Amino acid sequence: MKRSASINIERMVKWMPRFVLAPIAAAVLSACGDATPEPEKFLSNVDDCSGMPSRQAVTQCEASYYKAVAKAEKELPRFTSLEECEKIYGTCGAPTTQQGQTQNGTSNNGNGFLVPAMAGYIAAQMVDDLGDGFRDRSHYHRELERQRRDLERQRRDLERQKRDREYSQSYGAGTTAKNNGYQQKPKVAPPPAKPKQPAKTESRGGWGSSAANKNSWGSSSKGSGWGG
Amino acid sequence: MFREACAERKDWKAQAEKFGFKFHTMYGDRYWDESAHYRFTLSQIEEGIENPTAEIHQMCLHAVSVVVQSDEWMRRFAIPEAQWAFIRESWERGDQSLYSRLDLAYDGSGPAKLYENNADTPTSLYETGFWQWLWLEQQVDAGVLSRSADQFNSLQDKLVNRFRELAVLCPERVLHFACCKDTEEDRGTVQYLEDCAKEAGIETKFVFIEDIGMDAEHQFTDLDDQVITWMFKLYPWEFMFKEEYAQHLGKQDIRWVEPPWKSIISNKALLPLLWKLYPDHPNLLPAYYEDELDQVPEHMALVKKPFFSREGANISFTDAKGVPTGEEGTDGGYGAEGFIYQARHALPVFNGNHTLVGSWLIDDMPAGIALREDTVAITQDMSRFLPHIIM
């Protein structure tokens, strides 16, 4: 066979907040059995954890919510322009921080960045986190479990491969020396020095001027990128 | 090699949205085109494309070793002298390549001919590695294609594995991914690569090229002021070598993907050098520098190409003396660094469509093909992408 043996198709589905939001939130909330606020309200504000059936569940919900927000802050792409963000992700806004989001849509982290709508992301993370208490028999949750098992298996494979390579004299077919003087054994990059945290950026925008100049020459198709 | 009409999946556009393939149609024109596909035999794939791809890559590596050892060749390739040490160090250190794409003229019978090597910023990665793979799976399930249909496309498997290898060589580093603003295609390609890297267990982060900053120690930073120590960039080296931060390249503790030495291969100045190193090789076309036109055989039709053009821009046809014959590609503002002249070798034509084979390598391993076709002779960024099968 000359093609990829298998691709996890569900993993290739791009995260779409509107698609994810309803089933995840509904599953989470329906497990509680109480009358619940609308999913969008539930996930946009940690106060909606108060809808949980017990004090312990409220505490778990709040802890999970803050954990999901922290993870979102770290992983979601950031934009300085609303237009650029919405062009790619559809719905965007100020990031939901641990301290909450301001009414006028600007973040209170002081940086003015924008991110894709976080509600669906937070919902998915919370279900991941609170799985045992909120798991149901839906297809979506079975799929999440399968993906978690796949991920765990891949992590174990990666660890094993790393150990094999570290004990081996060579790196194997992918990276050993070829002819023409190309690296006899590629040098492993040392772990990066611990930089001052955070770094003090003194300038920005030193890359990208060539692309901007070419766009201004009226090249007909450069919405399609700089690859070749 | 045949071109065959094919029933389209009724819901392919909805699926494209679901999977985030946003640039399937550009400016109202089809880019992804599943109204037809190409059919190859296994022998055509293995002997006609795969083996030559591997061999051409090794030839290109030899050409790099020639160039980096010679100031004269570095000058001939129009590489700024300020970047020579930066490029040489990346080669001597063995900085690793992720991917390349050869553009080949191949009609199923004669030897494939190399048009150029996209070694720095090749695109159509997502369409090749996942989207056409999915097309095959679904068309077989639907009974439109035979169960024995295969495809030359192990790109995604190889990408993920290659990221695992790169991670061993760059331990404890976050891999930043960068592309320009205002291009949905580039953002989609980079997202796909980021997904593959994540699947390989790498911690990733995205930043736009234009948003990259620099601190007092000349380390590059992202919007969170995090120092960048490992970066994939979908942005050409030849652009970067001329921009504001170029003077600081080499001062950072950073590994680049693609590494700086790949800029020698993506430069079309490579093509006359390959012809000098491997004259009359069956997979090469004769190629000359502008000051060598007196060596061109009489009556040889030529294609004039800027060193650094992309997607067919600023390409034109000339006679054996370099006199234009009137046909030209789009104007992308390329050509300032110089031109090469390559023997004209027409693409095969199927039902009025000129078809180009894009042959991918992950590191040095052939990994699959991407077929592009157009009603005009010069393949460009709007040329349609068609899937293929092996039967």
Side-chain angles (χ1 to χ4, degrees), chain B residues 117-130:
Chain B
N117 188 335
N118 298 283
D120 183 18
T121 56
T123 52
S124 75
L125 197 66
Y126 175 84
E127 306 88 289
T128 308
F130 174 66

Side-chain angles (χ1 to χ4, degrees), chain A residues 1-16 73-75 77-80 84 87-90 111 113 151 154 157-158 161-162 165-166 171-176 178-183 185-212 214-215 217-228, chain B residues 18-20 22 26-27 46 50 58 62 65 91 93-96 101 118 121-123 129-130 133-134 136-137 149-154 156-157 162 164-165 168-169 171-173 180-187 191-192 195 199-200 203 208-217 220-225 227 229 235 239-240 243-245 253 255 261 310-311 332-334 363-364 381:
Chain A
M1 192 164 73
K2 305 293 281 188
R3 65 186 190 279
S4 293
S6 68
I7 291 178
N8 185 328
I9 294 173
E10 286 306 317
R11 219 189 233 138
M12 300 299 291
V13 175
K14 282 303 121 194
W15 164 64
M16 291 164 66
E73 280 182 333
K74 195 176 156 202
E75 292 195 354
R78 297 196 169 201
F79 297 82
T80 50
E84 279 160 25
K87 209 185 285 187
I88 298 168
Y89 291 101
N111 292 327
F113 298 137
L151 189 60
Q154 285 184 8
D157 285 347
L158 183 59
Q161 285 171 21
K162 192 177 169 186
R165 291 196 195 287
E166 283 168 353
Y171 288 99
T175 54
T176 45
K178 298 294 183 277
N179 60 15
N180 308 312
Y182 189 42
Q183 53 276 26
K185 186 182 278 189
K187 293 189 174 61
V188 177
K194 293 269 183 258
K196 294 193 199 99
Q197 288 294 351
K200 199 162 178 301
T201 299
E202 296 196 338
S203 69
R204 245 181 238 291
W207 302 124
S209 59
S210 306
K214 287 204 186 297
N215 273 334
W217 291 341
S219 175
S220 64
S221 52
K222 265 318 139 198
S224 60
W226 295 103
Chain B
K18 174 183 169 185
F19 287 104
K22 293 176 188 290
M26 290 201 281
Y27 305 97
E46 292 185 336
E50 187 173 8
Q58 293 302 320
H62 177 48
S65 71
W91 174 256
R93 193 171 47 218
D95 287 353
Q96 294 290 291
R101 196 194 75 239
N118 298 283
T121 56
T123 52
F130 174 66
W133 182 95
L134 184 70
L136 176 66
E137 295 284 304
D150 195 3
Q151 194 178 77
F152 181 28
N153 177 18
S154 57
Q156 185 156 321
D157 275 356
R162 185 57 176 153
R164 290 191 180 113
E165 291 175 347
V168 171
L169 292 167
E172 297 179 43
R173 292 181 185 234
C180 276
K181 297 177 177 177
D182 297 325
T183 155
E184 206 157 64
E185 181 187 343
D186 281 6
R187 188 65 190 92
Q191 181 66 65
Y192 177 59
D195 290 347
E199 188 152 339
E203 185 182 347
F208 282 114
I209 289 283
E210 298 92 333
D211 286 338
I212 293 171
M214 196 169 64
D215 68 9
E217 277 123 36
F220 296 121
T221 58
D222 64 18
L223 284 174
D224 292 322
D225 292 332
V227 171
T229 58
Y235 193 63
F239 286 7
M240 294 172 74
E243 294 178 353
E244 182 191 330
Y245 285 162
D253 172 20
R255 292 290 189 269
W261 62 262
R310 47 191 17 86
E311 307 266 21
Y334 298 100
D363 186 23
D364 61 353
D381 55 0

